[in-house]
Amino acid sequence: MGTVNGNWLTGAHSGRACNHENIYTKTNRKTGKCYSVKLCNPSSMVSEMQAAHRINFGIISSTISQWIKEQQALNSAEYIYIKTAFDRQTRYATLRGYIMARGLYELQDDGTVVIDVKKNLKPSDSAGGTQTPGGTDNTETPGGATEDPSTGGSDSAGGSEYE
């Protein structure tokens, strides 16, 4: 990727200068540097599956954006719930991207999109809970024996089966 220095006339540019060219530029906003990339063999062939995916992505994206705008104006409980979950994480930059990546929507057969903000969120996703290392949950009974939920029984010696 090459570095391009903009001048006072063109300034910093991001994207394509012309639809006929295969040169893309991107400006790093933190450093102010402009980088360019040229696609050597771009593919103009789009399969039917890719075209359908693009259409579905556009429908889902615009519906989520509209939902966010409406719920933000109403200051609804669902918006506050998803906004607090979004604010507690650092991976996703936009609320729309967070909702899409978490799969908090469902595309119906008739083409409508239903948004359910509590669909795939576990309590640990939004409340900042912890997960037990190893993924097993062995709970200890008051008598000192451990109970393994996968077998439903308890080990009366107080040890685990891996000792």
Side-chain angles (χ1 to χ4, degrees):
M1 187 179 289
T3 304
V4 178
N5 295 325
N7 59 21
W8 65 272
L9 184 60
T10 60
H13 178 265
S14 293
R16 285 168 50 171
C18 177
N19 288 337
H20 301 97
E21 293 186 15
N22 296 324
I23 298 175
Y24 294 86
T25 58
K26 176 70 176 165
T27 303
N28 185 340
R29 293 184 183 172
K30 291 181 181 177
T31 62
K33 288 187 178 180
C34 185
Y35 298 95
S36 68
V37 173
K38 181 176 184 194
L39 299 177
C40 295
N41 295 317
S43 174
S44 60
M45 301 293 291
V46 177
S47 69
E48 293 176 11
M49 188 172 69
Q50 288 173 331
H53 182 68
R54 286 181 182 183
I55 291 170
N56 288 343
F57 181 84
I59 292 169
I60 293 167
S61 178
S62 62
T63 304
I64 290 174
S65 297
Q66 184 66 28
W67 182 86
I68 290 171
K69 187 183 290 184
E70 291 171 359
Q71 299 300 319
Q72 186 178 17
L74 296 173
N75 202 17
S76 68
E78 287 184 336
Y79 176 77
I80 293 170
Y81 178 80
I82 196 67
K83 182 68 174 158
T84 55
F86 170 72
D87 289 340
R88 289 182 180 152
Q89 58 84 37
T90 58
R91 183 173 186 173
Y92 303 102
T94 63
L95 183 58
R96 181 184 59 84
Y98 178 74
I99 292 172
M100 288 186 76
R102 289 291 186 172
L104 303 178
Y105 63 90
E106 184 177 340
L107 184 62
Q108 302 292 325
D109 292 334
D110 60 350
T112 59
V113 178
V114 177
I115 298 172
D116 182 14
V117 295
K118 297 183 181 181
K119 178 180 173 185
N120 290 336
L121 288 180
K122 295 176 259 179
S124 63
D125 288 342
S126 60
T130 60
Q131 182 178 359
T132 309
T136 59
D137 184 23
N138 291 334
T139 56
E140 189 171 324
T141 58
T146 57
E147 185 177 335
D148 188 7
S150 62
T151 60
S154 64
D155 183 86
S156 59
S160 69
E161 62 183 83
Y162 299 110
E163 287 183 4

